[in-house]
Amino acid sequence: MALPAGLTKRDLASALEEFAAAVGRQFVFTSDEHINTYRDEFGPLRGTPKDPVPSAAIAPGSVEEVQKVVRIANQYRVPLWVISCGKNWGYGGPAPRVTGSVVVDLKRMNRILEVNEQHAYALVEPGVSYFDLYRHIQERKLKLWIDGPVGGWGSVVANTVERGVGQSILGDFYNFQCGMEVVLPDGELMRTGMGAVPGSPTWQQYKWGFGPHVDGLFSHSNIGIVTKIGTWLAPEPPVFLSCQVSVPRFEDIVPLIDITRPLRQKNLLVNSAVFPPRLGRPQDPANLGGWYNKIGFYGEDKVVDLQWQHVQDAYAAIPGVEFKARRFTAPYDAGEMDAFGRTLAGIPGVGGYGYRGVFCSPILPFTGEAIWNMIHSFDRIYQEYGLRYFGEAIHIHQARALVAPATVPISLDDPKVNETAVALVRRLIVESTRQGWGVYRITTAFMDEAMAAFSFNNGALLRFHETLKDALDPNGILAPGKNGIWPSKHRGRQA
Ligand code: ADP
C-alpha cells in the first residue's frame, strides 16, 4: 500500500480503522483492484514512479461523516484528496496530487435537495451528476434547463468549483453558482452568502451575503470540502434554435472571432463554442480546412428569429460562410435533436472527444489575432516534439476572454508518448507565461508550473493562498499541492 510521506504503516492502519468506524467498514477501500479505480487513466505520469497512487479511498455518506473524516485526518496527518464523481478526465481524473493520499469519494452524497422552478435554481450534494439533475427535472416535468460538460456523468458540484464549461445558456458554470456549504479543514461546517442567515429564503438567490464574498476561496481550492452547492438554472425557452456557422478557410478563424466578440458582448449571442473540423486527430495548421461555430438561440418566438438573422448578417462578411439552423419548440423531445442540438440545449450526453489527452488551456484576449498567435506559437512548440498543434475547441463562455484548450496526447501504456507529453505541456506553459496568458485549469501533474505564472510582486497571490492554507489547515491535510498551493510542511519539498 502506498504510504503518505511521514506516516508509518501502523499510523495509516490506525487512521483507516478510525475512518472505518466513522463511515462504515464497507466504505473504506484498500484493495489494489479498488485503488486502481482511483488512478488517473489520463495521467501523463502513468508508468513512472511519480504517478500518484492513493493509499485508500473512503466514501462518507453524510456531512457529519465528512466532518469526522477531516478530524481523523488531522489527528494522523493523513493527506486527503476530495472527489465528487471522480470523472475529471484530462485534469487529473480521480487521482490525488500526492502519493499515499486517502481519496474522499463523495459519490454517496447524491441528494438533490431542492429544485426551485419559480426562481430557477437547484441545491445539490457533491455526488449529483448532470444526468441525475436532468432526469430529476424531466421526471417532474419542471420547465427548467440545465447546462453541463461533454460527459453527463460529471458532478455538478465538482464542475462548478473547478470552473468547468458547457455550451448552452449556463456555460460558465462557476458564474451561475449561488451559495455553498463547506466543511473546513478543521471539521467546522460553514455556509456562505445568505446561507449564513439561519432560515434565509434567499441562499440560492442572492450571491453576495454580507461582508467579504468568500465563495471563490473554495473554487480551484484546497481549504474546504464543498458539501452543498446552489446552481442557477434557466427557464425553459419557448423556442430553441440550434445553429451552425461554418467558415471554409483556416485563417477565417480571425474574422470569425472578431465578429463574434461584439455579438457576445451585446448578448446577441449568449453561448458559443468554435471547433476545428477534424476533432480527434492532430491538426496541421498549414493545410487545415475551416472552422465551425456552435450557437444556440433561446427565447421568445419572434426574438430568436431576429437574433439569428442579425447574427447571419454579421458573419456574412466572411466569404464562403455557410449557415445551418434547426428549430425546436417546447415541449422538447431530446430524441428529435441530434448530438449537436442536444449539447446546445444542455442535455447531458455520453460524448467524449475520442482521444486520450491532457489540456493546456491558455486564457486569451477575445481577438482573432490572439487566437492566431496562440495557434502558431503553440504549433511551433508541438513541432519541436514531432507533433502538430491539436486544439480541442475555443470556448466562448465569457464575452471578454477566450479559453482555448490545446490537447496533448498521452498513452496508457507507451511511456515515450507520456514523456513527450510532459515535456511538451511544460513548454506550452512556459510559452503561455511568457505571453502573459496563464492557463485556465490544468491536470494535477502541472499545477505548480501553472501557478508559477501568477507571479506578480514575487508571487504575492500564491503567498496569500499559502497564508490562508496554513491558517485554516495547519496540518496540511486537505489536498496538498492542489493548484500549486502547498501547506508549509511540504513547501519547497513539494510532492
Ligand atoms: P467530475 O467527476 O465532476 O469530473 P471530480 O469528482 O473528479 O469531478 O472532481 C474534480 C476536482 O474537483 C477534484 O480533483 C477536486 O479538486 C475538486 N472537487 C471535487 N469535489 C469537490 C468538493 N466536494 N469540494 C471541493 N473540491 C472538490
Side-chain angles (χ1 to χ4, degrees):
M1 182 185 289
L3 270 183
L7 257 76
T8 63
K9 253 187 175 160
R10 186 186 293 180
D11 291 336
L12 183 62
S14 308
L16 290 175
E17 272 306 305
E18 293 209 30
F19 286 139
V23 305
R25 191 163 299 279
Q26 68 274 37
F27 298 118
V28 175
F29 308 104
T30 53
S31 71
D32 286 349
E33 197 187 349
H34 279 125
I35 293 303
N36 262 333
T37 66
Y38 292 99
R39 296 183 65 183
D40 183 9
E41 294 217 344
F42 287 54
L45 301 176
R46 229 182 144 83
T48 76
K50 288 196 163 168
D51 187 29
V53 185
S55 56
I58 53 180
S62 68
V63 173
E64 295 71 28
E65 289 184 10
V66 173
Q67 291 177 283
K68 282 186 197 164
V69 163
V70 165
R71 292 191 177 118
I72 296 163
N74 269 294
Q75 195 184 330
Y76 290 93
R77 313 284 195 263
V78 177
L80 303 176
W81 183 263
V82 183
I83 61 167
S84 288
C85 288
K87 305 287 191 296
N88 199 18
W89 308 124
Y91 292 107
R97 176 82 211 266
V98 167
T99 280
S101 300
V102 170
V103 175
V104 180
D105 181 340
L106 300 177
K107 249 187 236 92
R108 289 177 61 219
M109 294 172 60
N110 62 355
R111 287 178 305 160
I112 296 172
L113 299 164
E114 186 185 1
V115 176
N116 188 308
E117 193 175 31
Q118 185 181 35
H119 295 292
Y121 69 76
L123 179 68
V124 296
E125 291 189 328
V128 173
S129 70
Y130 289 90
F131 284 133
D132 298 333
L133 186 56
Y134 180 76
R135 199 175 300 125
H136 179 101
I137 288 171
Q138 295 305 306
E139 282 169 3
R140 287 160 186 76
K141 301 198 185 322
L142 302 175
K143 296 204 177 317
L144 291 170
W145 276 28
I146 68 169
D147 198 348
V150 176
W153 42 68
S155 145
V156 176
V157 166
N159 274 272
T160 304
V161 295
E162 289 298 294
R163 309 202 280 260
V165 297
Q167 292 169 27
S168 184
I169 320 177
L170 308 159
D172 188 5
F173 302 152
Y174 182 70
N175 204 16
F176 296 100
Q177 175 267 334
C178 188
M180 287 181 184
E181 181 184 84
V182 187
V183 172
L184 297 174
D186 62 355
E188 182 77 270
L189 188 66
M190 183 174 87
R191 288 185 175 177
T192 65
M194 301 311 293
V197 179
S200 168
T202 56
W203 187 17
Q204 272 60 63
Q205 293 164 60
Y206 184 76
K207 288 186 182 204
W208 315 124
F210 184 73
H213 178 65
V214 299
D215 296 46
L217 293 176
F218 303 103
S219 168
H220 277 203
S221 143
N222 58 2
I223 52 173
I225 299 179
V226 178
T227 48
K228 294 182 180 60
I229 214 162
T231 179
W232 288 345
L233 305 174
E236 179 186 84
V239 178
F240 156 52
L241 302 185
S242 161
C243 304
Q244 179 172 336
V245 176
S246 310
V247 292
R249 289 166 299 271
F250 189 67
E251 58 272 25
D252 289 336
I253 187 63
V254 175
L256 187 70
I257 294 292
D258 287 332
I259 292 170
T260 303
R261 183 182 52 253
L263 297 171
R264 189 68 183 78
Q265 278 178 10
K266 292 180 206 165
N267 272 342
L268 288 162
L269 293 181
V270 291
N271 77 308
S272 154
V274 177
F275 293 88
R278 296 185 202 165
L279 272 180
R281 270 180 280 157
Q283 294 138 25
D284 176 351
N287 55 26
L288 253 191
W291 302 79
Y292 67 93
N293 194 0
K294 283 168 90 168
I295 304 173
F297 295 94
Y298 313 84
E300 304 302 325
D301 204 0
K302 291 173 186 146
V303 180
V304 289
D305 291 333
L306 281 175
Q307 272 179 291
W308 177 221
Q309 189 53 57
H310 179 91
V311 165
Q312 289 179 85
D313 292 347
Y315 286 120
I318 305 174
V321 64
E322 283 177 17
F323 304 108
K324 271 190 212 157
R326 285 190 67 191
R327 185 188 180 83
F328 301 94
T329 48
Y332 297 98
D333 175 359
E336 283 182 3
M337 296 179 194
D338 53 9
F340 189 98
R342 284 196 296 271
T343 353
L344 284 171
I347 299 169
V350 290
Y353 291 113
Y355 50 75
R356 200 176 282 276
V358 289
F359 307 114
C360 178
S361 315
I363 302 161
L364 302 169
F366 201 140
T367 63
E369 186 191 4
I371 284 286
W372 194 246
N373 171 22
M374 180 279 293
I375 290 173
H376 287 90
S377 43
F378 271 23
D379 186 49
R380 277 192 292 276
I381 297 171
Y382 273 71
Q383 288 188 53
E384 288 172 27
Y385 294 88
L387 299 167
R388 299 303 301 254
Y389 167 76
F390 175 13
E392 174 229 306
I394 300 168
H395 293 292
I396 302 181
H397 57 286
Q398 296 201 354
R400 288 165 186 80
L402 302 168
V403 169
T407 308
V408 175
I410 55 127
S411 166
L412 257 185
D413 43 31
D414 185 346
K416 277 261 165 312
V417 171
N418 293 343
E419 268 170 42
T420 304
V422 169
L424 172 53
V425 174
R426 291 208 165 116
R427 281 279 284 110
L428 295 177
I429 297 173
V430 168
E431 177 64 11
S432 299
T433 307
R434 191 183 70 77
Q435 302 246 22
W437 299 333
V439 299
Y440 131 94
R441 192 175 164 194
I442 200 115
T443 194
T444 39
F446 307 111
M447 283 178 168
D448 294 330
E449 288 90 337
M451 181 52 102
F454 293 76
S455 63
F456 169 76
N457 188 19
N458 190 27
L461 181 64
L462 177 57
R463 286 184 284 116
F464 174 79
H465 288 310
E466 288 171 345
T467 304
L468 288 176
K469 179 75 182 156
D470 290 343
L472 293 167
D473 184 9
N475 297 320
I477 52 125
L478 199 53
K482 174 147 166 50
N483 285 77
I485 304 165
W486 292 94
S488 59
K489 71 173 178 185
H490 287 265
R491 223 165 282 148
R493 286 182 283 135
Q494 313 306 39

